[in-house]
Amino acid sequence: MKTKSLIPVLAIALCAGAVLQAATIANPGDLATSKAPPGSKQWPAATPLFAPNLSNVSTAPGAWSCKDGVFTGKGVAWTKAAGDNFYLSLEFRAQAKADGGIFLRCSDTKDYVQNSIEVQILQGDPAGNNERALVGALYDLVAPSRQVEIEPGAWHKLLIRADNEKITVWLDDERLVRADLEQWTAAGKNPGGTGNKFKKALRDFARSGVIGLHAAEGKIEYRNLFIEALPPPPVAAPVSDADASVLLSFLTATPWTAKIGKGQNTSTFTLHPDNTYTENWMGKNKKGTWRVTGPATIALTTPEKSTLVFTADPGAGVLRRRGSATYTPTNPAALQKTPSTPVRVDDGALLSFLTATPWTGKLGKNTSTFTLHPDNTYTENWMGKNKKGTWRVTGPATIALTTPEKNTLVFTADQANRVLRRRGSATYTPTNPAALDKLPPAAARSGSAAPFAGITYLPSTTPAAETEDWTTKVPVVKAPAGSAVPSDATVLFDGSGLDAWESTSAKETSPRWKVAGGILTPVEKTGSLRTKASYGDVQVHLEFRTQTNPVKSGQQRGNSGLIFMGLYEFQVLDSHENPTYANGQAASVYKQHPPLANASRAPGEWQSYDVVFIAPRFNAAGELVSPARITAFHNGILVQHGAILTGPTVHRGRVPYAAHPAKLPLVLQNHATDRPSFRNIWLRELSLPASSK
């Protein structure tokens, strides 16, 4: 967009407010609404950005104004407080040919053009047909996934998520941009080779700064401005809590190097035992911190506050950076000296082994004896004094004791030799070896895949009453006969109307699909359908019918999709004697998993889907904890069984997960082909036990 001189700047203080976990955030449609104007819903976890009475606004007289909750002005309006990782939600209304935007994380307002990223607001076509200047674009950097026309004078919703190096933009609940700033490795150049205006690489931009509202040309109005800080990453656990010292030895034995980006620039870093790292990047030396985040994963925090996640692969001798390059050792010989992976045992055998007897070890001239109790407490006699602390299993063969002084002591269990080895210290032996003789032998599994862990076994002498669950209250659900709906189901379409749905198209105030004779059929040149409510784990039932006398073939015949959370597609297609790629046919997890069977009926016959979708889980740092999964039946035939999704559905490539709210709307796709019809759509929200998630 054209850059205007900065008219008197408006400075707005970010209000401090309660910060909730990102997983509690409502769906993007709900994010952009509030109690003002009347009739809309409050975004429950947000903090207002502007005070309606302008009490937290600093501006030259007449530069900006607020009337009935609507803010207007000229120039850039900067917040006084800096933001780093956040959701920003607002509504805007642009008059004909208006030009403006939202500046993110500006580190220098005197030169904001070179020190911030702008989410573009534009009514009409950009000068020179520059796709990277369309509404929703990251200006001069990333074009939106499609061109969206905004009507002059109409209110539109904008949602922005800034999470370390990831920037995501939704316009009217449709995701248009998802960018990884780490891909911009050179000044003045985008990853695809096009040029941009910036004099430094976006990889080196500050990840914290003030936020600015921009009104450059024409009139742009803003309302319902809310911001919510993303929770900070968890405090790094002591490195000694990792799954054995093998990982640490592997990580710190050698510097690691890789070629990054289109320019193939070299990155070489060294991980130090004090949880700092040093890196040489494009001839410059940098220093940051790192922490262990799992048995095989680490996270680096850069000086710019970005988080880079790596997975260690000792078998291949490499580090794999998530969504990016593979790093190789600069000194491979050093890896040959690191210890091998310890023998792993299953949890049931491990717990029996640990709790069967007290353990004794010599620390210098003093004796330590401790007993691990099944309730995860331990008692210790140390130098004649009794102590009590807690313990937990941290890996298939490791445990960690937390002392009353809050120290962490890590032990590796060696069942074969009947000892506990304390990391960097003594070996503990059983005080009652006979108790171990009564245990079943533990099979060493060195060199094989780690067995399933997590089940605690009980001896056959356990009283029967101890294995009877009288506390769980099982909800009663009436299972109907035939095609009736379960008693706890939410009906999405029963043939009478589309009250549960809205259109994904900003041009449609209400859905325009055809409803006739109890049947729902997409209409050409209309948007897809999206539920007004948001959902996470669900069981969905729908019935569909493809056209009786199909003319087209392949992906052009009866194409639609059931898109969970608007991100994860379960394919609808006429696959009766209609060849196409396996992971794109009916009942496939599109572009990821072919169905286990082709259960398609002939064109014109009614068919049914029954799909169980388990939503992905993310931790407070936005890292994936468990991926999405799908189990499905097509016409009563099992076609997907616990299929693990690799990430969101895309037509080209394969993209990683990006953290999102725990619940989002369900989408029924309108594909520009021979469209199927639908009936009898309902879902059940699932409340699953932790072991099933």
Side-chain angles (χ1 to χ4, degrees), residues 201-287:
L202 264 67
R203 183 183 193 269
D204 299 323
F205 267 44
R207 300 299 160 85
S208 178
V210 293
I211 300 167
L213 303 185
H214 192 196
E217 297 182 4
K219 183 178 181 180
I220 300 178
E221 298 169 286
Y222 297 96
R223 72 181 185 188
N224 296 338
L225 299 154
F226 293 101
I227 190 166
E228 181 181 3
L230 296 180
V235 177
V239 173
S240 58
D241 274 356
D243 182 19
S245 60
V246 175
L247 177 64
L248 302 182
S249 299
F250 175 77
L251 294 170
T252 58
T254 172
W256 300 90
T257 190
K259 297 286 189 180
I260 304 295
K262 295 283 186 180
Q264 290 295 283
N265 297 304
T266 299
S267 165
T268 300
F269 66 82
T270 302
L271 302 170
H272 305 291
D274 64 353
N275 286 105
T276 63
Y277 79 89
T278 48
E279 179 188 17
N280 185 280
W281 166 249
M282 298 179 66
K284 296 181 180 179
N285 293 321
K286 303 170 66 174
K287 184 175 182 179

Side-chain angles (χ1 to χ4, degrees), residues 555 569 581 590-591 648-654 671:
Q555 291 291 308
E569 182 179 359
Y581 44 92
Y590 186 71
K591 283 296 185 81
T649 300
V650 292
H651 184 58
R652 294 182 176 87
R654 178 167 293 173
H671 200 285

Side-chain angles (χ1 to χ4, degrees), residues 541-544 601 606-610 633-636:
H541 172 89
L542 68 76
E543 297 167 21
F544 68 95
R601 294 173 179 162
W606 282 103
Q607 309 187 56
S608 66
Y609 277 166
D610 290 279
F633 293 83
H634 182 190
N635 296 326

